[in-house]
Amino acid sequence: MPKRVKLGHHYYYIVTVDELNSGGFRGKNVVIEGTIEDKPLVEFLPMELPGYRTTFKVSGLRVEFSGSPCLGKGEWVKVYGRFLGDCIMASAIETKRAVFTTEE
């Protein structure tokens, strides 16, 4: 099994996108690193809490985050979250300048 790292109250497996595509980590907490491929899409959701959802891709894998982190195309990120098979529901995003988290 890959190494694990702790962030907050949870442990995350340090994996690559190829390891995620093999299918062994569905439903598990994972962390991946890479650069943002396209402009992140920040959506305002007036009927839900929190009020914003941000989506972007890292190495072809879609990442969703509840909130509006200050991110841009080409920025290096480390994404912590639960792998759902086709995307990662991020609970934290680490950049060179900041760490963005959601409530647990």
PDB file of all heavy atoms in Angstrom, residues 36 38-44 50-56 63-73 75-79 90-95 97-102:
ATOM      1  N   ILE A  36      -2.879  22.659 -12.468  1.00  0.00           N
ATOM      2  CA  ILE A  36      -4.240  22.868 -12.943  1.00  0.00           C
ATOM      3  C   ILE A  36      -4.192  23.047 -14.455  1.00  0.00           C
ATOM      4  O   ILE A  36      -3.468  23.903 -14.960  1.00  0.00           O
ATOM      5  CB  ILE A  36      -4.882  24.081 -12.247  1.00  0.00           C
ATOM      6  CG1 ILE A  36      -4.982  23.813 -10.747  1.00  0.00           C
ATOM      7  CG2 ILE A  36      -6.257  24.379 -12.841  1.00  0.00           C
ATOM      8  CD1 ILE A  36      -5.491  24.984  -9.947  1.00  0.00           C
ATOM      9  N   ASP A  38      -6.804  23.742 -16.750  1.00  0.00           N
ATOM     10  CA  ASP A  38      -7.638  24.755 -17.372  1.00  0.00           C
ATOM     11  C   ASP A  38      -8.063  25.772 -16.317  1.00  0.00           C
ATOM     12  O   ASP A  38      -7.749  25.621 -15.145  1.00  0.00           O
ATOM     13  CB  ASP A  38      -8.857  24.112 -18.033  1.00  0.00           C
ATOM     14  CG  ASP A  38      -9.580  23.139 -17.103  1.00  0.00           C
ATOM     15  OD1 ASP A  38      -9.140  22.975 -15.950  1.00  0.00           O
ATOM     16  OD2 ASP A  38     -10.580  22.539 -17.514  1.00  0.00           O
ATOM     17  N   LYS A  39      -8.766  26.811 -16.735  1.00  0.00           N
ATOM     18  CA  LYS A  39      -9.239  27.795 -15.774  1.00  0.00           C
ATOM     19  C   LYS A  39     -10.256  27.141 -14.841  1.00  0.00           C
ATOM     20  O   LYS A  39     -11.207  26.511 -15.310  1.00  0.00           O
ATOM     21  CB  LYS A  39      -9.925  28.959 -16.486  1.00  0.00           C
ATOM     22  CG  LYS A  39      -8.992  29.827 -17.279  1.00  0.00           C
ATOM     23  CD  LYS A  39      -9.778  30.951 -17.927  1.00  0.00           C
ATOM     24  CE  LYS A  39      -8.886  31.801 -18.785  1.00  0.00           C
ATOM     25  NZ  LYS A  39      -9.648  32.889 -19.432  1.00  0.00           N
ATOM     26  N   PRO A  40     -10.073  27.271 -13.527  1.00  0.00           N
ATOM     27  CA  PRO A  40     -11.078  26.736 -12.598  1.00  0.00           C
ATOM     28  C   PRO A  40     -12.426  27.441 -12.802  1.00  0.00           C
ATOM     29  O   PRO A  40     -12.485  28.645 -13.057  1.00  0.00           O
ATOM     30  CB  PRO A  40     -10.503  27.054 -11.224  1.00  0.00           C
ATOM     31  CG  PRO A  40      -9.032  27.163 -11.452  1.00  0.00           C
ATOM     32  CD  PRO A  40      -8.898  27.764 -12.818  1.00  0.00           C
ATOM     33  N   LEU A  41     -13.498  26.667 -12.700  1.00  0.00           N
ATOM     34  CA  LEU A  41     -14.848  27.203 -12.810  1.00  0.00           C
ATOM     35  C   LEU A  41     -15.405  27.380 -11.404  1.00  0.00           C
ATOM     36  O   LEU A  41     -15.516  26.409 -10.648  1.00  0.00           O
ATOM     37  CB  LEU A  41     -15.736  26.243 -13.611  1.00  0.00           C
ATOM     38  CG  LEU A  41     -17.218  26.602 -13.706  1.00  0.00           C
ATOM     39  CD1 LEU A  41     -17.404  27.909 -14.467  1.00  0.00           C
ATOM     40  CD2 LEU A  41     -17.987  25.477 -14.363  1.00  0.00           C
ATOM     41  N   VAL A  42     -15.737  28.615 -11.042  1.00  0.00           N
ATOM     42  CA  VAL A  42     -16.304  28.912  -9.734  1.00  0.00           C
ATOM     43  C   VAL A  42     -17.781  29.229  -9.942  1.00  0.00           C
ATOM     44  O   VAL A  42     -18.130  30.190 -10.625  1.00  0.00           O
ATOM     45  CB  VAL A  42     -15.581  30.103  -9.057  1.00  0.00           C
ATOM     46  CG1 VAL A  42     -16.195  30.400  -7.700  1.00  0.00           C
ATOM     47  CG2 VAL A  42     -14.100  29.832  -8.935  1.00  0.00           C
ATOM     48  N   GLU A  43     -18.657  28.398  -9.348  1.00  0.00           N
ATOM     49  CA  GLU A  43     -20.101  28.563  -9.505  1.00  0.00           C
ATOM     50  C   GLU A  43     -20.714  29.060  -8.199  1.00  0.00           C
ATOM     51  O   GLU A  43     -20.381  28.551  -7.134  1.00  0.00           O
ATOM     52  CB  GLU A  43     -20.751  27.233  -9.861  1.00  0.00           C
ATOM     53  CG  GLU A  43     -20.259  26.636 -11.167  1.00  0.00           C
ATOM     54  CD  GLU A  43     -20.819  25.253 -11.376  1.00  0.00           C
ATOM     55  OE1 GLU A  43     -20.182  24.294 -10.911  1.00  0.00           O
ATOM     56  OE2 GLU A  43     -21.906  25.153 -11.984  1.00  0.00           O
ATOM     57  N   PHE A  44     -21.608  30.031  -8.305  1.00  0.00           N
ATOM     58  CA  PHE A  44     -22.364  30.503  -7.153  1.00  0.00           C
ATOM     59  C   PHE A  44     -23.638  29.678  -7.061  1.00  0.00           C
ATOM     60  O   PHE A  44     -24.392  29.563  -8.026  1.00  0.00           O
ATOM     61  CB  PHE A  44     -22.703  31.985  -7.292  1.00  0.00           C
ATOM     62  CG  PHE A  44     -23.550  32.512  -6.178  1.00  0.00           C
ATOM     63  CD1 PHE A  44     -23.067  32.535  -4.873  1.00  0.00           C
ATOM     64  CD2 PHE A  44     -24.826  32.971  -6.412  1.00  0.00           C
ATOM     65  CE1 PHE A  44     -23.837  33.016  -3.837  1.00  0.00           C
ATOM     66  CE2 PHE A  44     -25.620  33.460  -5.377  1.00  0.00           C
ATOM     67  CZ  PHE A  44     -25.116  33.482  -4.094  1.00  0.00           C
ATOM     68  N   PRO A  50     -22.046  25.397   1.372  1.00  0.00           N
ATOM     69  CA  PRO A  50     -21.653  26.790   1.164  1.00  0.00           C
ATOM     70  C   PRO A  50     -22.112  27.272  -0.198  1.00  0.00           C
ATOM     71  O   PRO A  50     -22.532  26.483  -1.030  1.00  0.00           O
ATOM     72  CB  PRO A  50     -20.139  26.751   1.258  1.00  0.00           C
ATOM     73  CG  PRO A  50     -19.770  25.387   0.827  1.00  0.00           C
ATOM     74  CD  PRO A  50     -20.906  24.494   1.257  1.00  0.00           C
ATOM     75  N   GLY A  51     -21.987  28.539  -0.429  1.00  0.00           N
ATOM     76  CA  GLY A  51     -22.543  29.151  -1.623  1.00  0.00           C
ATOM     77  C   GLY A  51     -21.736  29.011  -2.883  1.00  0.00           C
ATOM     78  O   GLY A  51     -22.172  29.470  -3.922  1.00  0.00           O
ATOM     79  N   TYR A  52     -20.553  28.395  -2.846  1.00  0.00           N
ATOM     80  CA  TYR A  52     -19.720  28.296  -4.040  1.00  0.00           C
ATOM     81  C   TYR A  52     -19.209  26.877  -4.243  1.00  0.00           C
ATOM     82  O   TYR A  52     -18.979  26.150  -3.286  1.00  0.00           O
ATOM     83  CB  TYR A  52     -18.508  29.230  -3.939  1.00  0.00           C
ATOM     84  CG  TYR A  52     -18.883  30.681  -3.965  1.00  0.00           C
ATOM     85  CD1 TYR A  52     -19.101  31.373  -2.789  1.00  0.00           C
ATOM     86  CD2 TYR A  52     -19.021  31.351  -5.166  1.00  0.00           C
ATOM     87  CE1 TYR A  52     -19.454  32.711  -2.803  1.00  0.00           C
ATOM     88  CE2 TYR A  52     -19.372  32.686  -5.195  1.00  0.00           C
ATOM     89  CZ  TYR A  52     -19.589  33.371  -4.016  1.00  0.00           C
ATOM     90  OH  TYR A  52     -19.941  34.683  -4.042  1.00  0.00           O
ATOM     91  N   ARG A  53     -19.028  26.497  -5.525  1.00  0.00           N
ATOM     92  CA  ARG A  53     -18.402  25.225  -5.880  1.00  0.00           C
ATOM     93  C   ARG A  53     -17.371  25.526  -6.962  1.00  0.00           C
ATOM     94  O   ARG A  53     -17.671  26.181  -7.956  1.00  0.00           O
ATOM     95  CB  ARG A  53     -19.432  24.232  -6.397  1.00  0.00           C
ATOM     96  CG  ARG A  53     -18.783  22.933  -6.889  1.00  0.00           C
ATOM     97  CD  ARG A  53     -19.776  21.908  -7.336  1.00  0.00           C
ATOM     98  NE  ARG A  53     -20.616  22.459  -8.402  1.00  0.00           N
ATOM     99  CZ  ARG A  53     -21.848  22.043  -8.666  1.00  0.00           C
ATOM    100  NH1 ARG A  53     -22.395  21.094  -7.954  1.00  0.00           N
ATOM    101  NH2 ARG A  53     -22.542  22.580  -9.649  1.00  0.00           N
ATOM    102  N   THR A  54     -16.163  25.014  -6.775  1.00  0.00           N
ATOM    103  CA  THR A  54     -15.082  25.215  -7.733  1.00  0.00           C
ATOM    104  C   THR A  54     -14.702  23.869  -8.339  1.00  0.00           C
ATOM    105  O   THR A  54     -14.513  22.899  -7.607  1.00  0.00           O
ATOM    106  CB  THR A  54     -13.852  25.839  -7.042  1.00  0.00           C
ATOM    107  OG1 THR A  54     -14.249  27.070  -6.422  1.00  0.00           O
ATOM    108  CG2 THR A  54     -12.739  26.103  -8.029  1.00  0.00           C
ATOM    109  N   THR A  55     -14.607  23.812  -9.676  1.00  0.00           N
ATOM    110  CA  THR A  55     -14.185  22.596 -10.359  1.00  0.00           C
ATOM    111  C   THR A  55     -13.017  22.914 -11.281  1.00  0.00           C
ATOM    112  O   THR A  55     -12.969  23.990 -11.877  1.00  0.00           O
ATOM    113  CB  THR A  55     -15.330  21.958 -11.172  1.00  0.00           C
ATOM    114  OG1 THR A  55     -15.824  22.908 -12.107  1.00  0.00           O
ATOM    115  CG2 THR A  55     -16.451  21.487 -10.282  1.00  0.00           C
ATOM    116  N   PHE A  56     -12.083  21.961 -11.382  1.00  0.00           N
ATOM    117  CA  PHE A  56     -10.935  22.079 -12.281  1.00  0.00           C
ATOM    118  C   PHE A  56     -10.362  20.697 -12.513  1.00  0.00           C
ATOM    119  O   PHE A  56     -10.807  19.725 -11.890  1.00  0.00           O
ATOM    120  CB  PHE A  56      -9.871  23.029 -11.711  1.00  0.00           C
ATOM    121  CG  PHE A  56      -9.365  22.656 -10.352  1.00  0.00           C
ATOM    122  CD1 PHE A  56      -8.249  21.846 -10.200  1.00  0.00           C
ATOM    123  CD2 PHE A  56      -9.994  23.124  -9.210  1.00  0.00           C
ATOM    124  CE1 PHE A  56      -7.777  21.503  -8.944  1.00  0.00           C
ATOM    125  CE2 PHE A  56      -9.531  22.799  -7.949  1.00  0.00           C
ATOM    126  CZ  PHE A  56      -8.413  21.981  -7.816  1.00  0.00           C
ATOM    127  N   VAL A  63     -11.641  17.680 -10.275  1.00  0.00           N
ATOM    128  CA  VAL A  63     -11.612  17.953  -8.835  1.00  0.00           C
ATOM    129  C   VAL A  63     -12.744  18.920  -8.528  1.00  0.00           C
ATOM    130  O   VAL A  63     -12.911  19.925  -9.223  1.00  0.00           O
ATOM    131  CB  VAL A  63     -10.260  18.570  -8.411  1.00  0.00           C
ATOM    132  CG1 VAL A  63     -10.277  18.948  -6.942  1.00  0.00           C
ATOM    133  CG2 VAL A  63      -9.111  17.631  -8.718  1.00  0.00           C
ATOM    134  N   GLU A  64     -13.542  18.620  -7.488  1.00  0.00           N
ATOM    135  CA  GLU A  64     -14.599  19.518  -7.015  1.00  0.00           C
ATOM    136  C   GLU A  64     -14.280  19.947  -5.591  1.00  0.00           C
ATOM    137  O   GLU A  64     -13.888  19.124  -4.764  1.00  0.00           O
ATOM    138  CB  GLU A  64     -15.960  18.833  -7.045  1.00  0.00           C
ATOM    139  CG  GLU A  64     -16.492  18.590  -8.423  1.00  0.00           C
ATOM    140  CD  GLU A  64     -17.935  18.129  -8.428  1.00  0.00           C
ATOM    141  OE1 GLU A  64     -18.620  18.273  -7.384  1.00  0.00           O
ATOM    142  OE2 GLU A  64     -18.373  17.632  -9.464  1.00  0.00           O
ATOM    143  N   PHE A  65     -14.471  21.242  -5.314  1.00  0.00           N
ATOM    144  CA  PHE A  65     -14.176  21.802  -3.999  1.00  0.00           C
ATOM    145  C   PHE A  65     -15.327  22.711  -3.590  1.00  0.00           C
ATOM    146  O   PHE A  65     -15.769  23.549  -4.381  1.00  0.00           O
ATOM    147  CB  PHE A  65     -12.864  22.590  -4.062  1.00  0.00           C
ATOM    148  CG  PHE A  65     -12.424  23.165  -2.751  1.00  0.00           C
ATOM    149  CD1 PHE A  65     -11.854  22.355  -1.771  1.00  0.00           C
ATOM    150  CD2 PHE A  65     -12.561  24.513  -2.484  1.00  0.00           C
ATOM    151  CE1 PHE A  65     -11.441  22.885  -0.561  1.00  0.00           C
ATOM    152  CE2 PHE A  65     -12.145  25.047  -1.281  1.00  0.00           C
ATOM    153  CZ  PHE A  65     -11.583  24.233  -0.318  1.00  0.00           C
ATOM    154  N   SER A  66     -15.821  22.576  -2.367  1.00  0.00           N
ATOM    155  CA  SER A  66     -16.899  23.427  -1.862  1.00  0.00           C
ATOM    156  C   SER A  66     -16.293  24.709  -1.322  1.00  0.00           C
ATOM    157  O   SER A  66     -15.816  24.757  -0.196  1.00  0.00           O
ATOM    158  CB  SER A  66     -17.678  22.718  -0.751  1.00  0.00           C
ATOM    159  OG  SER A  66     -18.347  21.613  -1.268  1.00  0.00           O
ATOM    160  N   GLY A  67     -16.318  25.727  -2.140  1.00  0.00           N
ATOM    161  CA  GLY A  67     -15.748  27.008  -1.770  1.00  0.00           C
ATOM    162  C   GLY A  67     -15.188  27.701  -2.992  1.00  0.00           C
ATOM    163  O   GLY A  67     -15.331  27.233  -4.120  1.00  0.00           O
ATOM    164  N   SER A  68     -14.532  28.838  -2.774  1.00  0.00           N
ATOM    165  CA  SER A  68     -13.963  29.601  -3.886  1.00  0.00           C
ATOM    166  C   SER A  68     -12.497  29.930  -3.606  1.00  0.00           C
ATOM    167  O   SER A  68     -12.161  31.063  -3.285  1.00  0.00           O
ATOM    168  CB  SER A  68     -14.771  30.878  -4.131  1.00  0.00           C
ATOM    169  OG  SER A  68     -14.782  31.659  -2.950  1.00  0.00           O
ATOM    170  N   PRO A  69     -11.614  28.935  -3.720  1.00  0.00           N
ATOM    171  CA  PRO A  69     -10.191  29.196  -3.484  1.00  0.00           C
ATOM    172  C   PRO A  69      -9.600  30.063  -4.593  1.00  0.00           C
ATOM    173  O   PRO A  69     -10.110  30.079  -5.714  1.00  0.00           O
ATOM    174  CB  PRO A  69      -9.572  27.798  -3.488  1.00  0.00           C
ATOM    175  CG  PRO A  69     -10.466  27.007  -4.372  1.00  0.00           C
ATOM    176  CD  PRO A  69     -11.849  27.560  -4.122  1.00  0.00           C
ATOM    177  N   CYS A  70      -8.561  30.762  -4.284  1.00  0.00           N
ATOM    178  CA  CYS A  70      -7.886  31.629  -5.250  1.00  0.00           C
ATOM    179  C   CYS A  70      -6.880  30.786  -6.026  1.00  0.00           C
ATOM    180  O   CYS A  70      -5.723  30.643  -5.617  1.00  0.00           O
ATOM    181  CB  CYS A  70      -7.205  32.782  -4.510  1.00  0.00           C
ATOM    182  SG  CYS A  70      -6.454  33.967  -5.606  1.00  0.00           S
ATOM    183  N   LEU A  71      -7.320  30.205  -7.154  1.00  0.00           N
ATOM    184  CA  LEU A  71      -6.500  29.316  -7.972  1.00  0.00           C
ATOM    185  C   LEU A  71      -6.529  29.785  -9.417  1.00  0.00           C
ATOM    186  O   LEU A  71      -7.485  30.427  -9.842  1.00  0.00           O
ATOM    187  CB  LEU A  71      -7.031  27.883  -7.919  1.00  0.00           C
ATOM    188  CG  LEU A  71      -7.115  27.216  -6.567  1.00  0.00           C
ATOM    189  CD1 LEU A  71      -7.841  25.885  -6.687  1.00  0.00           C
ATOM    190  CD2 LEU A  71      -5.729  27.004  -6.003  1.00  0.00           C
ATOM    191  N   GLY A  72      -5.494  29.401 -10.175  1.00  0.00           N
ATOM    192  CA  GLY A  72      -5.451  29.752 -11.587  1.00  0.00           C
ATOM    193  C   GLY A  72      -4.865  28.646 -12.431  1.00  0.00           C
ATOM    194  O   GLY A  72      -4.235  27.704 -11.929  1.00  0.00           O
ATOM    195  N   LYS A  73      -5.054  28.760 -13.729  1.00  0.00           N
ATOM    196  CA  LYS A  73      -4.535  27.796 -14.687  1.00  0.00           C
ATOM    197  C   LYS A  73      -3.014  27.737 -14.581  1.00  0.00           C
ATOM    198  O   LYS A  73      -2.345  28.759 -14.472  1.00  0.00           O
ATOM    199  CB  LYS A  73      -4.944  28.212 -16.100  1.00  0.00           C
ATOM    200  CG  LYS A  73      -4.459  27.292 -17.178  1.00  0.00           C
ATOM    201  CD  LYS A  73      -4.918  27.783 -18.532  1.00  0.00           C
ATOM    202  CE  LYS A  73      -4.389  26.870 -19.625  1.00  0.00           C
ATOM    203  NZ  LYS A  73      -4.836  27.327 -20.953  1.00  0.00           N
ATOM    204  N   GLU A  75      -1.243  26.539 -12.110  1.00  0.00           N
ATOM    205  CA  GLU A  75      -0.749  26.568 -10.731  1.00  0.00           C
ATOM    206  C   GLU A  75      -0.573  25.148 -10.191  1.00  0.00           C
ATOM    207  O   GLU A  75      -1.402  24.274 -10.427  1.00  0.00           O
ATOM    208  CB  GLU A  75      -1.727  27.349  -9.854  1.00  0.00           C
ATOM    209  CG  GLU A  75      -1.204  27.612  -8.464  1.00  0.00           C
ATOM    210  CD  GLU A  75      -1.995  28.687  -7.748  1.00  0.00           C
ATOM    211  OE1 GLU A  75      -2.984  29.191  -8.292  1.00  0.00           O
ATOM    212  OE2 GLU A  75      -1.605  29.011  -6.628  1.00  0.00           O
ATOM    213  N   TRP A  76       0.518  24.925  -9.457  1.00  0.00           N
ATOM    214  CA  TRP A  76       0.778  23.634  -8.818  1.00  0.00           C
ATOM    215  C   TRP A  76      -0.109  23.510  -7.594  1.00  0.00           C
ATOM    216  O   TRP A  76      -0.227  24.434  -6.784  1.00  0.00           O
ATOM    217  CB  TRP A  76       2.246  23.533  -8.415  1.00  0.00           C
ATOM    218  CG  TRP A  76       2.541  22.295  -7.637  1.00  0.00           C
ATOM    219  CD1 TRP A  76       2.890  21.083  -8.140  1.00  0.00           C
ATOM    220  CD2 TRP A  76       2.495  22.134  -6.213  1.00  0.00           C
ATOM    221  NE1 TRP A  76       3.064  20.184  -7.120  1.00  0.00           N
ATOM    222  CE2 TRP A  76       2.826  20.797  -5.931  1.00  0.00           C
ATOM    223  CE3 TRP A  76       2.194  22.984  -5.159  1.00  0.00           C
ATOM    224  CZ2 TRP A  76       2.875  20.303  -4.642  1.00  0.00           C
ATOM    225  CZ3 TRP A  76       2.231  22.492  -3.875  1.00  0.00           C
ATOM    226  CH2 TRP A  76       2.579  21.159  -3.622  1.00  0.00           C
ATOM    227  N   VAL A  77      -0.761  22.340  -7.445  1.00  0.00           N
ATOM    228  CA  VAL A  77      -1.626  22.097  -6.295  1.00  0.00           C
ATOM    229  C   VAL A  77      -1.408  20.693  -5.763  1.00  0.00           C
ATOM    230  O   VAL A  77      -0.962  19.792  -6.480  1.00  0.00           O
ATOM    231  CB  VAL A  77      -3.125  22.260  -6.650  1.00  0.00           C
ATOM    232  CG1 VAL A  77      -3.483  23.687  -6.941  1.00  0.00           C
ATOM    233  CG2 VAL A  77      -3.538  21.349  -7.783  1.00  0.00           C
ATOM    234  N   LYS A  78      -1.717  20.532  -4.502  1.00  0.00           N
ATOM    235  CA  LYS A  78      -1.798  19.224  -3.857  1.00  0.00           C
ATOM    236  C   LYS A  78      -3.235  19.120  -3.374  1.00  0.00           C
ATOM    237  O   LYS A  78      -3.697  19.959  -2.591  1.00  0.00           O
ATOM    238  CB  LYS A  78      -0.814  19.137  -2.691  1.00  0.00           C
ATOM    239  CG  LYS A  78      -0.681  17.741  -2.110  1.00  0.00           C
ATOM    240  CD  LYS A  78       0.257  17.727  -0.911  1.00  0.00           C
ATOM    241  CE  LYS A  78       1.699  17.738  -1.353  1.00  0.00           C
ATOM    242  NZ  LYS A  78       2.612  17.496  -0.213  1.00  0.00           N
ATOM    243  N   VAL A  79      -3.971  18.111  -3.866  1.00  0.00           N
ATOM    244  CA  VAL A  79      -5.401  17.976  -3.591  1.00  0.00           C
ATOM    245  C   VAL A  79      -5.620  16.814  -2.627  1.00  0.00           C
ATOM    246  O   VAL A  79      -5.203  15.690  -2.894  1.00  0.00           O
ATOM    247  CB  VAL A  79      -6.189  17.736  -4.898  1.00  0.00           C
ATOM    248  CG1 VAL A  79      -7.660  17.513  -4.594  1.00  0.00           C
ATOM    249  CG2 VAL A  79      -6.002  18.903  -5.853  1.00  0.00           C
ATOM    250  N   ALA A  90     -12.731  17.268  -3.068  1.00  0.00           N
ATOM    251  CA  ALA A  90     -11.617  17.789  -2.281  1.00  0.00           C
ATOM    252  C   ALA A  90     -12.082  18.346  -0.942  1.00  0.00           C
ATOM    253  O   ALA A  90     -13.081  19.059  -0.862  1.00  0.00           O
ATOM    254  CB  ALA A  90     -10.882  18.862  -3.063  1.00  0.00           C
ATOM    255  N   SER A  91     -11.327  18.021   0.092  1.00  0.00           N
ATOM    256  CA  SER A  91     -11.562  18.611   1.406  1.00  0.00           C
ATOM    257  C   SER A  91     -10.498  19.656   1.717  1.00  0.00           C
ATOM    258  O   SER A  91     -10.693  20.490   2.595  1.00  0.00           O
ATOM    259  CB  SER A  91     -11.581  17.534   2.489  1.00  0.00           C
ATOM    260  OG  SER A  91     -10.387  16.797   2.464  1.00  0.00           O
ATOM    261  N   ALA A  92      -9.372  19.621   0.979  1.00  0.00           N
ATOM    262  CA  ALA A  92      -8.321  20.625   1.139  1.00  0.00           C
ATOM    263  C   ALA A  92      -7.523  20.733  -0.161  1.00  0.00           C
ATOM    264  O   ALA A  92      -7.355  19.744  -0.872  1.00  0.00           O
ATOM    265  CB  ALA A  92      -7.389  20.265   2.287  1.00  0.00           C
ATOM    266  N   ILE A  93      -7.063  21.943  -0.454  1.00  0.00           N
ATOM    267  CA  ILE A  93      -6.210  22.192  -1.611  1.00  0.00           C
ATOM    268  C   ILE A  93      -5.024  23.006  -1.115  1.00  0.00           C
ATOM    269  O   ILE A  93      -5.198  24.075  -0.532  1.00  0.00           O
ATOM    270  CB  ILE A  93      -6.946  22.964  -2.714  1.00  0.00           C
ATOM    271  CG1 ILE A  93      -8.158  22.172  -3.208  1.00  0.00           C
ATOM    272  CG2 ILE A  93      -5.991  23.278  -3.872  1.00  0.00           C
ATOM    273  CD1 ILE A  93      -9.049  22.951  -4.149  1.00  0.00           C
ATOM    274  N   GLU A  94      -3.823  22.472  -1.338  1.00  0.00           N
ATOM    275  CA  GLU A  94      -2.601  23.151  -0.917  1.00  0.00           C
ATOM    276  C   GLU A  94      -1.893  23.705  -2.146  1.00  0.00           C
ATOM    277  O   GLU A  94      -1.727  23.007  -3.144  1.00  0.00           O
ATOM    278  CB  GLU A  94      -1.690  22.169  -0.194  1.00  0.00           C
ATOM    279  CG  GLU A  94      -0.405  22.761   0.297  1.00  0.00           C
ATOM    280  CD  GLU A  94       0.463  21.750   1.011  1.00  0.00           C
ATOM    281  OE1 GLU A  94      -0.042  20.675   1.386  1.00  0.00           O
ATOM    282  OE2 GLU A  94       1.650  22.045   1.185  1.00  0.00           O
ATOM    283  N   THR A  95      -1.504  24.981  -2.089  1.00  0.00           N
ATOM    284  CA  THR A  95      -0.707  25.609  -3.138  1.00  0.00           C
ATOM    285  C   THR A  95       0.619  26.041  -2.523  1.00  0.00           C
ATOM    286  O   THR A  95       0.864  25.807  -1.338  1.00  0.00           O
ATOM    287  CB  THR A  95      -1.424  26.839  -3.728  1.00  0.00           C
ATOM    288  OG1 THR A  95      -1.475  27.879  -2.745  1.00  0.00           O
ATOM    289  CG2 THR A  95      -2.837  26.507  -4.188  1.00  0.00           C
ATOM    290  N   ARG A  97       1.356  29.021  -1.920  1.00  0.00           N
ATOM    291  CA  ARG A  97       1.103  30.197  -1.088  1.00  0.00           C
ATOM    292  C   ARG A  97       0.095  29.992   0.027  1.00  0.00           C
ATOM    293  O   ARG A  97       0.090  30.748   0.993  1.00  0.00           O
ATOM    294  CB  ARG A  97       0.612  31.354  -1.975  1.00  0.00           C
ATOM    295  CG  ARG A  97       1.635  31.795  -3.004  1.00  0.00           C
ATOM    296  CD  ARG A  97       1.075  32.869  -3.913  1.00  0.00           C
ATOM    297  NE  ARG A  97       0.024  32.284  -4.738  1.00  0.00           N
ATOM    298  CZ  ARG A  97      -1.039  32.942  -5.160  1.00  0.00           C
ATOM    299  NH1 ARG A  97      -1.212  34.202  -4.857  1.00  0.00           N
ATOM    300  NH2 ARG A  97      -1.937  32.345  -5.904  1.00  0.00           N
ATOM    301  N   ALA A  98      -0.788  28.980  -0.088  1.00  0.00           N
ATOM    302  CA  ALA A  98      -1.869  28.854   0.897  1.00  0.00           C
ATOM    303  C   ALA A  98      -2.413  27.441   0.939  1.00  0.00           C
ATOM    304  O   ALA A  98      -2.164  26.633   0.046  1.00  0.00           O
ATOM    305  CB  ALA A  98      -3.008  29.821   0.548  1.00  0.00           C
ATOM    306  N   VAL A  99      -3.198  27.156   2.002  1.00  0.00           N
ATOM    307  CA  VAL A  99      -3.941  25.898   2.126  1.00  0.00           C
ATOM    308  C   VAL A  99      -5.413  26.285   2.288  1.00  0.00           C
ATOM    309  O   VAL A  99      -5.762  27.042   3.191  1.00  0.00           O
ATOM    310  CB  VAL A  99      -3.474  25.061   3.336  1.00  0.00           C
ATOM    311  CG1 VAL A  99      -4.327  23.815   3.476  1.00  0.00           C
ATOM    312  CG2 VAL A  99      -2.012  24.703   3.204  1.00  0.00           C
ATOM    313  N   PHE A 100      -6.263  25.777   1.390  1.00  0.00           N
ATOM    314  CA  PHE A 100      -7.697  26.034   1.440  1.00  0.00           C
ATOM    315  C   PHE A 100      -8.376  24.767   1.946  1.00  0.00           C
ATOM    316  O   PHE A 100      -8.113  23.676   1.439  1.00  0.00           O
ATOM    317  CB  PHE A 100      -8.227  26.374   0.036  1.00  0.00           C
ATOM    318  CG  PHE A 100      -7.548  27.556  -0.585  1.00  0.00           C
ATOM    319  CD1 PHE A 100      -6.493  27.386  -1.453  1.00  0.00           C
ATOM    320  CD2 PHE A 100      -7.958  28.850  -0.297  1.00  0.00           C
ATOM    321  CE1 PHE A 100      -5.846  28.460  -2.034  1.00  0.00           C
ATOM    322  CE2 PHE A 100      -7.318  29.948  -0.870  1.00  0.00           C
ATOM    323  CZ  PHE A 100      -6.266  29.749  -1.737  1.00  0.00           C
ATOM    324  N   THR A 101      -9.245  24.887   2.948  1.00  0.00           N
ATOM    325  CA  THR A 101      -9.928  23.724   3.515  1.00  0.00           C
ATOM    326  C   THR A 101     -11.422  23.976   3.580  1.00  0.00           C
ATOM    327  O   THR A 101     -11.884  25.119   3.548  1.00  0.00           O
ATOM    328  CB  THR A 101      -9.425  23.396   4.928  1.00  0.00           C
ATOM    329  OG1 THR A 101      -9.711  24.501   5.795  1.00  0.00           O
ATOM    330  CG2 THR A 101      -7.946  23.092   4.937  1.00  0.00           C
ATOM    331  N   THR A 102     -12.180  22.882   3.676  1.00  0.00           N
ATOM    332  CA  THR A 102     -13.618  22.958   3.905  1.00  0.00           C
ATOM    333  C   THR A 102     -13.871  22.491   5.336  1.00  0.00           C
ATOM    334  O   THR A 102     -13.005  21.878   5.957  1.00  0.00           O
ATOM    335  CB  THR A 102     -14.398  22.059   2.932  1.00  0.00           C
ATOM    336  OG1 THR A 102     -13.977  20.708   3.109  1.00  0.00           O
ATOM    337  CG2 THR A 102     -14.182  22.485   1.500  1.00  0.00           C
TER     338      THR A 102
END
